[in-house]
Amino acid sequence: MKNSTYPQMKIIKTNRCILRPATLEDANDMFEYYSQSKVVKYLPMQKHNTIADTKRFIKTFFLSNYKKGNIGHFAVVFKENSKTIGNVGFNNITSTSKEGEIGICINPKYWGLDLSSELALAMLRYGFEDLNLQKIIAITFEDNNYSRKSLEKLGFNYLGVFKKNLHSSISSLVTCHKYEMSQEYYFKRLNKKYKRND
């Protein structure tokens, strides 16, 4: 289903979630998780101290990129309670991009429900079937074993380990693990395993 305001950002439904473009009305729900240190630990940003911080972030990270015609992150709305519990998407690619990197951020209250696998699968379908990406990348951090298991379960290929500088200082180097999947692999193997029912 297409979004009328930002046509490049379709509305996607999964078993438990609805993915749609973010709006300023998501500020309270997003503040709930972006105000936590453990959520922003590996993001190039500080935790939000006020709702105003979250509104500024929505304007710059989400809305500004939508208005440029970029394909960015979706707000993740949990069907059970209609609450925005996170965001997921590609890190601001264009309609002509051939490669995209998945980013997922979830409110800690909803950790442990295997939502990351459900959301990553939705991004695989969207990226390969709708956007015609040739390759999708995913990067996880050393202490995030859950995400690594999720990616491996979905069929991502492990490329190896590297160091990433998050905050422009030697002390902020963190160990990362890189995964990728090709469109060819997706259509040969995963598309048969995870048939769309939408």
Side-chain angles (χ1 to χ4, degrees):
M1 184 188 308
K2 287 195 174 182
N3 176 267
S4 59
T5 307
Y6 309 109
Q8 81 277 20
M9 298 292 296
K10 69 180 292 186
I11 295 176
I12 300 170
K13 295 181 180 180
T14 71
N15 289 338
R16 292 175 288 176
C17 302
I18 296 172
L19 314 184
R20 57 154 176 79
T23 73
L24 285 173
E25 293 179 358
D26 295 312
N28 286 337
D29 287 346
M30 288 188 172
F31 176 73
E32 190 174 302
Y33 58 93
Y34 277 121
S35 60
Q36 299 184 49
S37 297
K38 61 184 176 182
V39 172
V40 302
K41 181 179 179 181
Y42 294 123
L43 298 177
M45 59 187 280
Q46 301 296 317
K47 71 175 184 177
H48 295 181
N49 294 312
T50 66
I51 296 289
D53 291 339
T54 307
K55 288 182 176 179
R56 279 192 294 271
F57 179 70
I58 290 172
K59 288 177 182 177
T60 56
F61 182 71
F62 295 95
L63 304 184
S64 175
N65 282 292
Y66 296 162
K67 289 173 183 176
K68 292 175 185 175
N70 291 343
I71 296 156
H73 275 229
F74 299 86
V76 177
V77 179
F78 200 52
K79 290 179 181 178
E80 188 176 300
N81 55 13
S82 299
K83 183 180 179 67
T84 299
I85 62 164
N87 48 274
V88 63
F90 296 107
N91 295 331
N92 298 314
I93 60 176
T94 69
S95 59
T96 59
S97 295
K98 296 301 179 186
E99 181 177 309
E101 179 186 333
I102 294 178
I104 298 177
C105 187
I106 299 292
N107 187 324
K109 289 182 179 179
Y110 297 83
W111 290 0
L113 301 179
D114 200 25
L115 285 171
S116 59
S117 294
E118 184 175 322
L119 297 173
L121 176 57
M123 288 300 99
L124 289 176
R125 289 171 171 162
Y126 179 52
F128 289 136
E129 298 182 28
D130 296 305
L131 304 179
N132 195 32
L133 296 178
Q134 302 302 300
K135 183 189 297 183
I136 291 177
I137 303 294
I139 293 172
T140 67
F141 300 97
E142 181 65 26
D143 59 359
N144 195 345
N145 291 321
Y146 178 77
S147 289
R148 286 156 59 190
K149 288 177 182 177
S150 175
L151 293 171
E152 289 162 5
K153 183 174 75 173
L154 286 172
F156 275 83
N157 180 41
Y158 180 61
L159 296 183
V161 65
F162 69 99
K163 296 285 187 180
K164 185 174 183 178
N165 192 327
L166 292 181
H167 302 288
S168 303
S169 68
I170 300 294
S171 61
S172 67
L173 283 173
V174 296
T175 301
C176 303
H177 297 268
K178 187 173 183 178
Y179 293 81
E180 75 171 21
M181 186 183 294
S182 69
Q183 186 187 56
E184 180 182 17
Y185 178 86
Y186 172 80
F187 280 115
K188 278 185 177 178
R189 301 282 301 277
L190 293 188
N191 195 31
K192 295 176 182 177
K193 183 178 179 181
Y194 299 113
K195 283 286 187 184
R196 294 180 81 150
N197 53 17
D198 52 2

